[in-house]
């Protein structure tokens, strides 16, 4: 082709796709290792304002803006009439400021004309009321018409912007979470159950429907229940919801993927601990995981928040993005207290330490009206920076500086914690003791293990476990056959599996196992749970209600829950025993362990306090050959190792309220100040990025 015809083709293409700036260098050519971003809503502001906003963003080293995710009525003001001009211009304007774009599909906010004309697209709430226009997430995740309309708008966006050199990634919808409980969902659920169980006889047997005359004689009799109901039905509904959200996302992925280059990713923003669906299922078709990290009220809890980061990293077992976080404070809590000066920056480095490659602030500037007027922002309603802006700008400069050291690195752990949605749901439906919160139980193990190992992976119970020296399953109440054989294999291959209280009581249908807990793992353990007891809270307990526990890890009590264990094999050792309490527990095993060749399995039946669990974590590490990634640091200082591409980098953040001194095992390069250091002092919220030689 001659250069002239080349030019004509270029001009023609450029005219056809005005947003495709062919001469512009792609943001994808030189992506920064760490991205700082902001949620920007150009549709809420006159175009004449955009340059001022983008200039301020660029000055803060903001390298991407996420746009579009709530803008359906601006893209398609009336049915079949599209206005892409503003979006073309916004993407191009951002590019001029070296700000890349993450494009959100707008399916969380269908326009009024849409739901008015197609009321079948509106979802039903669980109380039978129909959602209305005026809030968001009113669309049904299963309505065929809604799927068709979502697919159409996503495809139009993908065709127009899929190859725009400034669009680096796609976010599907926004925080998918509101199910539909209407007739369409119910029929689909019945079909899903039929696919899974094949015959009503099988379903009736596996759900034990002879109980309370629940037996079904026709698939159409099966109801939707989500809080109190047959445990097999409850679990099936959640699994159906998970599959339906996956299909909901897939509906858009299928039209976006063919229209984007292979280095452009598709994600959706999830919500950390939120358990409305199984995130391992929903993540299967995504290229990257992302979550919205909000503290809400109070201050950052590094353990619980760190768990949520590691959980998100575990969905696809690779680095992820923090797609939203609070610039200081939110608006949706009862008390929307602000993070301290310095805490926003510390929180961002905490995220990077856990494997995030981007942190985005929600939002850049408040809409002048709308439900979230009082939320934290980076610029005020007058369009000038708020007091937090310089801190975020400093962070942006630091991202740029530390990017080369962190490029190609990710956290690598010797220890995994197993997190399982089936189990969290099953425990929550039948807590047995209201204080038994699966989230608290997970963190009770995560916190001391992180302190000891300084890096933890959080993965599903069917993940490949061979690389871990230690695998801890705090509350794996539901153990499917697949997970059971995965865990048995792990122990047989030389791993150390630790089960926490309530493990493997249930099978994959949420039925009680026909063997005492830990069900299929009891033979391997050479021991079992004889009985479980809910424990009275300290303020209501009589003397003797709270069992003392003593042994290898020290002396404490068992709160919330206590399992009376027994051993059936001569080589199963007792690590901890109960003291005198309810009579049954007196003198009985509270924690047992058995060595099997190079492997080991341990069961902990008591819910012990933090200090004793820290001793337990030290014992687990020592016996499994797990070592701290960096070495000892003062309390309150967190260490986050990232390695890869021939580099080993440690991020340190001081969450203690006083300055702390750290002595390093060897001299390291301090990336932010360019010095060689062997000791360092960190103020409260102080951060150091250290590259090992
Ligand atoms: C998120 C949501 C954002 C915004 C933010 C406020 O959950 O995705 O759109 O509402 O909360 O904190």
């Amino acid at each position: 082709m001659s250069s002239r015809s080349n030019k004509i083709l270029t001009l023609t293409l450029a005219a056809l796709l005005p947003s495709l700036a062919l001469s512009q260098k792609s943001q994808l050519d030189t992506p920064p290792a760490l991205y700082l971003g902001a949620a920007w809503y150009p549709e809420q502001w006159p175009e004449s304002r955009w340059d001022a906003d983008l200039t301020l963003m660029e000055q803060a080293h903001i390298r991407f803006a996420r746009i579009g995710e709530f803008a359906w009525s601006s893209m398609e003001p009336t049915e079949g009439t599209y206005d892409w001009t503003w979006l073309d211009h916004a993407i191009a304007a951002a590019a001029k400021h070296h700000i890349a774009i993450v494009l959100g599909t707008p399916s969380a906010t269908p326009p009024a004309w849409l739901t008015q004309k197609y009321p079948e697209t509106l979802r039903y709430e669980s109380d039978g009321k129909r959602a209305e226009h005026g809030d968001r997430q009113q669309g049904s995740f299963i309505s065929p018409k809604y799927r068709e309309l979502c697919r159409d708008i996503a495809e139009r966006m993908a065709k127009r912007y899929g190859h725009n050199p400034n669009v680096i990634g796609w976010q599907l919808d926004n925080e998918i979470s509101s199910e539909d409980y209407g007739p369409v969902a119910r029929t689909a659920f019945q079909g899903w159950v039929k696919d899974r169980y094949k015959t009503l006889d099988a379903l009736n047997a596996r759900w034990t429907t002879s109980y309370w005359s629940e037996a079904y004689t026709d698939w159409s009799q099966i109801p939707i229940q989500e809080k109190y109901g047959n445990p097999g039905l409850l679990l099936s509904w959640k699994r159906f919801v998970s599959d339906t959200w996956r299909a909901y996302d897939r509906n858009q992925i299928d039209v976006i993927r063919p229209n984007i280059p292979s280095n452009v990713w598709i994600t959706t923003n999830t919500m950390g601990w939120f358990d409305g669906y199984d995130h391992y299922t929903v993540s299967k078709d995504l290229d990257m995981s992302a979550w919205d990290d909000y503290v809400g009220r109070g201050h950052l809890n590094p353990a619980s928040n760190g768990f949520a980061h590691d959980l998100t990293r575990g969905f696809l077992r690779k680095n992820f993005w923090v797609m939203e976080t609070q610039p200081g404070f939110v608006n949706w809590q009862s008390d929307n207290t602000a993070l301290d000066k310095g805490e926003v920056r510390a929180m961002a480095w905490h995220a990077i330490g856990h494997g995030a490659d981007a942190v985005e602030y929600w939002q850049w500037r408040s809409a002048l009206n709308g439900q979230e007027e009082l939320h934290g922002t980076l610029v005020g309603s007058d369009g000038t920076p708020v007091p937090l802006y310089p801190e975020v700008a400093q962070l942006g400069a630091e991202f740029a500086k530390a990017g080369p050291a962190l490029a190609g690195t990710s956290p690598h752990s010797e220890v995994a914690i197993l997190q399982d949605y089936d189990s969290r749901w099953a425990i929550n439906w039948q807590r047995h003791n209201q204080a038994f919160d699966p989230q608290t139980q997970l963190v009770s193990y995560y916190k001391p293990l992180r302190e000891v190992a300084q890096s933890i992976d959080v993965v599903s119970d069917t993940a490949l476990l061979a690389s871990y020296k230690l695998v801890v399953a705090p509350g794996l109440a539901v153990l499917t056959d697949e997970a059971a054989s995965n865990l048995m294999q792990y122990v047989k291959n030389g791993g150390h599996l630790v089960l926490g209280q309530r493990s493997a009581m249930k099978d994959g249908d949420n039925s009680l196992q026909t063997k005492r807990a830990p069900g299929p793992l009891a033979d391997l353990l050479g021991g079992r749970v004889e009985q479980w007891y809910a424990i009275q809270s300290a303020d209501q307990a009589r003397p003797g209600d709270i069992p003392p526990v003593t042994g290898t890890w020290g002396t404490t009590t068992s709160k919330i829950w206590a399992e009376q264990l027994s051993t059936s094999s001569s080589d199963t050792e007792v690590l901890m025993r109960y003291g005198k309490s309810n009579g049954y527990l007196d003198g009985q095993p509270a924690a047992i362990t058995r060595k099997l060749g190079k492997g080991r399995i341990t069961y902990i039946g008591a819910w012990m306090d933090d200090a004793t669990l820290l001793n337990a974590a030290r014992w687990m590490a020592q016996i499994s050959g797990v070592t701290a990634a960096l070495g000892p640091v003062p309390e309150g200082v967190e260490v986050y190792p990232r390695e890869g591409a021939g580099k080993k980098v440690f991020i340190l953040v001081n969450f203690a309220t006083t300055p702390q001194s750290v002595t390093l095992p060897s001299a390291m390069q301090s990336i932010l100040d360019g010095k060689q250091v062997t000791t360092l002092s960190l103020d409260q919220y102080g951060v150091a990025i250290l590259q090992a030689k």
Side-chain angles (χ1 to χ4, degrees):
M1 205 185 282
S2 72
S3 62
R4 191 171 172 274
S5 52
N6 233 334
K7 195 174 170 198
I8 291 171
L9 179 71
T10 306
L11 287 173
T12 320
L13 269 176
L16 280 173
L17 297 172
S19 61
L20 185 66
L22 288 176
S23 58
Q24 183 203 315
K25 197 167 155 48
S26 169
Q27 297 280 345
L28 294 161
D29 292 344
T30 49
L34 301 178
Y35 270 103
L36 185 70
W40 181 43
Y41 298 95
E43 70 276 21
Q44 295 168 6
W45 303 98
E47 196 171 332
S48 55
R49 166 70 209 182
W50 296 353
D51 197 58
D53 280 318
L54 292 162
T55 302
L56 282 169
M57 284 185 212
E58 192 176 8
Q59 284 167 0
H61 309 274
I62 284 178
R63 297 298 308 270
F64 81 99
R66 186 198 58 188
I67 65 176
E69 85 278 11
F70 299 127
W72 198 333
S73 69
S74 301
M75 296 175 193
E76 191 180 359
T78 58
E79 188 173 12
T81 318
Y82 300 93
D83 180 1
W84 300 113
T85 319
W86 69 272
L87 194 48
D88 296 345
H89 291 185
I91 296 172
K96 276 198 210 136
H97 289 272
H98 312 105
I99 293 172
I101 292 295
V102 172
L103 210 45
T105 65
S107 45
T109 48
W113 61 256
L114 187 157
T115 49
Q116 181 183 47
K117 178 157 180 205
Y118 306 108
E120 69 272 32
T121 59
L122 286 167
R123 67 184 179 85
Y124 284 85
E125 315 270 8
S126 55
D127 62 6
K129 282 200 197 120
R130 206 126 201 203
E132 278 184 299
H133 187 81
D135 206 333
R136 53 183 170 176
Q137 300 190 329
Q138 64 269 41
S140 159
F141 74 157
I142 196 149
S143 145
K145 186 68 194 177
Y146 197 54
R147 290 263 180 100
E148 178 195 318
L149 294 164
C150 291
R151 192 178 169 97
D152 179 70
I153 192 79
E155 185 168 25
R156 285 174 194 277
M157 289 175 77
K159 287 202 162 132
R160 193 167 185 94
Y161 303 111
H163 287 275
N164 185 301
N166 205 41
V167 174
I168 57 168
W170 291 71
Q171 175 189 298
L172 306 171
D173 206 276
N174 189 76
E175 294 187 344
I176 55 168
S177 53
S178 301
E179 303 89 12
D180 180 358
Y181 299 86
V184 175
R186 181 175 161 140
T187 307
F189 174 50
Q190 290 159 346
W192 183 96
V193 171
K194 189 173 177 191
D195 276 354
R196 185 176 175 97
Y197 289 93
K198 312 290 184 228
T199 68
L200 284 166
D201 284 348
L203 174 133
N204 285 320
R206 284 165 63 185
W207 290 4
T208 320
T209 55
S210 51
Y211 176 81
W212 283 359
S213 223
E214 283 169 3
Y216 297 102
T217 55
D218 194 280
W219 298 102
S220 64
Q221 295 157 355
I222 296 171
I224 294 176
Q225 283 172 340
E226 57 152 10
K227 286 199 176 76
Y228 185 72
N230 177 293
L233 169 67
L234 295 178
L235 185 54
S236 293
W237 168 251
K238 281 291 191 194
R239 287 176 174 161
F240 162 79
V241 165
S242 307
D243 285 350
T244 307
W245 278 125
R246 183 182 175 192
Y248 175 85
D249 280 354
R250 189 62 195 258
N251 176 54
Q252 297 185 30
I253 292 171
D254 284 347
V255 292
I256 298 173
R257 185 97 65 207
N259 290 299
I260 60 175
S262 59
N263 56 349
V264 170
W265 42 260
I266 304 176
T267 191
T268 191
N269 51 339
T270 57
M271 291 182 277
W273 282 100
F274 172 74
D275 69 351
Y277 51 82
D278 187 319
H279 290 57
Y280 300 109
T281 301
V282 175
S283 301
K284 280 184 184 148
D285 303 313
L286 302 172
D287 302 311
M288 184 179 80
S289 301
W291 80 289
D292 297 346
D293 182 6
Y294 290 98
V295 170
R297 172 206 283 131
H299 296 276
L300 182 79
N301 175 336
S304 163
N305 197 265
F307 187 101
H309 282 306
D310 292 345
L311 173 66
T312 308
R313 192 177 78 246
F315 296 153
L316 293 170
R317 303 186 83 177
K318 58 181 188 182
N319 288 7
F320 60 95
W321 277 30
V322 170
M323 196 57 95
E324 294 180 15
T325 191
Q326 66 194 61
F329 53 90
V330 300
N331 70 307
W332 40 261
Q333 279 283 3
S334 51
D335 317 304
N336 296 295
T337 54
L339 298 178
D340 289 341
K341 189 166 186 183
E343 194 174 359
V344 166
R345 167 177 172 256
M347 189 173 163
W349 280 112
H350 165 83
I352 302 298
H354 281 278
D357 285 337
V359 173
E360 183 207 285
Y361 289 93
W362 195 96
Q363 59 175 330
W364 174 249
R365 180 179 178 181
S366 285
L368 294 179
N369 211 320
Q371 279 87 323
E372 297 174 303
E373 290 175 26
L374 300 190
H375 199 282
T377 55
L378 295 179
V379 295
S381 59
D382 64 344
T384 67
V386 301
L388 175 66
Y389 174 94
E391 184 173 325
V392 171
Q394 179 192 341
L395 180 67
E398 290 172 351
F399 274 15
K401 200 165 191 182
L406 285 160
T409 66
S410 55
H412 292 266
S413 314
E414 297 181 333
V415 182
I417 287 200
L418 304 186
Q419 191 273 166
D420 175 50
Y421 290 96
D422 291 354
S423 299
R424 281 172 62 192
W425 297 325
I427 294 174
N428 274 327
W429 291 319
Q430 298 183 342
R431 281 195 173 190
H432 203 67
N433 181 343
Q434 266 324 296
F436 202 115
D437 173 15
Q439 193 169 321
T440 310
Q441 188 197 19
L442 283 162
V443 176
S444 76
Y445 285 83
Y446 173 84
K447 188 168 179 276
L449 284 164
R450 231 207 83 80
E451 202 170 319
V452 170
Q454 298 176 331
S455 182
I456 304 278
D457 281 355
V458 176
V459 297
S460 86
D461 57 6
T462 52
L464 262 180
L465 301 174
S467 64
Y468 300 112
K469 293 182 176 167
L470 174 65
V471 169
V472 181
L476 193 56
V478 171
L479 189 69
T480 60
D481 295 346
E482 189 191 353
S485 56
N486 191 36
L487 298 186
M488 285 193 268
Q489 208 50 50
Y490 171 69
V491 175
K492 284 182 183 151
N493 290 342
H496 181 189
L497 172 68
V498 178
L499 299 166
Q501 55 276 23
R502 262 177 117 132
S503 290
M505 287 177 88
K506 310 285 207 82
D507 70 9
D509 288 308
N510 205 6
S511 302
L512 290 169
Q513 299 270 7
T514 50
K515 263 184 136 173
R516 297 280 186 80
L521 304 173
D523 290 344
L524 212 57
L525 177 66
R528 67 177 198 175
V529 177
E530 291 298 324
Q531 188 56 280
W532 64 87
Y533 303 95
I535 302 301
Q536 192 72 267
S537 60
D539 56 336
Q540 291 182 23
R542 296 181 320 178
D545 278 349
I546 300 182
V549 187
T550 188
T552 312
W553 305 326
T555 295
T556 181
T557 53
S558 187
K559 56 183 170 179
I560 302 173
W561 192 264
E563 285 169 338
Q564 175 185 344
L565 308 181
S566 67
T567 58
S568 55
S569 177
S570 57
D571 56 352
T572 303
E573 296 166 55
V574 176
L575 296 166
M576 300 290 284
R577 274 187 197 278
Y578 296 103
K580 190 164 170 34
S581 54
N582 68 1
Y584 301 107
L585 285 168
D586 301 6
Q588 298 302 306
I592 58 180
T593 187
R594 186 181 188 201
K595 191 166 176 342
L596 291 148
K598 286 196 170 141
R600 176 178 287 275
I601 177 166
T602 300
Y603 193 103
I604 304 176
W607 188 320
M608 297 172 291
D609 63 1
D610 289 355
T612 314
L613 273 171
L614 183 57
N615 290 339
R618 289 191 177 123
W619 173 88
M620 290 177 215
Q622 185 262 323
I623 211 156
S624 324
V626 170
T627 51
L630 179 73
V633 289
E635 204 179 327
V637 174
E638 294 235 321
V639 176
Y640 318 103
R642 284 182 54 149
E643 58 184 293
K647 292 172 288 188
K648 189 153 195 173
V649 179
F650 297 95
I651 297 172
L652 272 64
V653 181
N654 178 19
F655 286 107
T657 50
T658 51
Q660 299 295 326
S661 310
V662 181
T663 305
L664 302 173
S666 58
M668 295 188 192
Q669 180 73 14
S670 170
I671 303 293
L672 296 182
D673 59 15
K675 293 183 184 149
Q676 285 283 319
V677 290
T678 44
T679 57
L680 47 116
S681 174
L682 293 170
D683 289 338
Q684 183 186 14
Y685 303 129
V687 174
I689 322 288
L690 307 169
Q691 185 163 356
K693 294 231 178 83

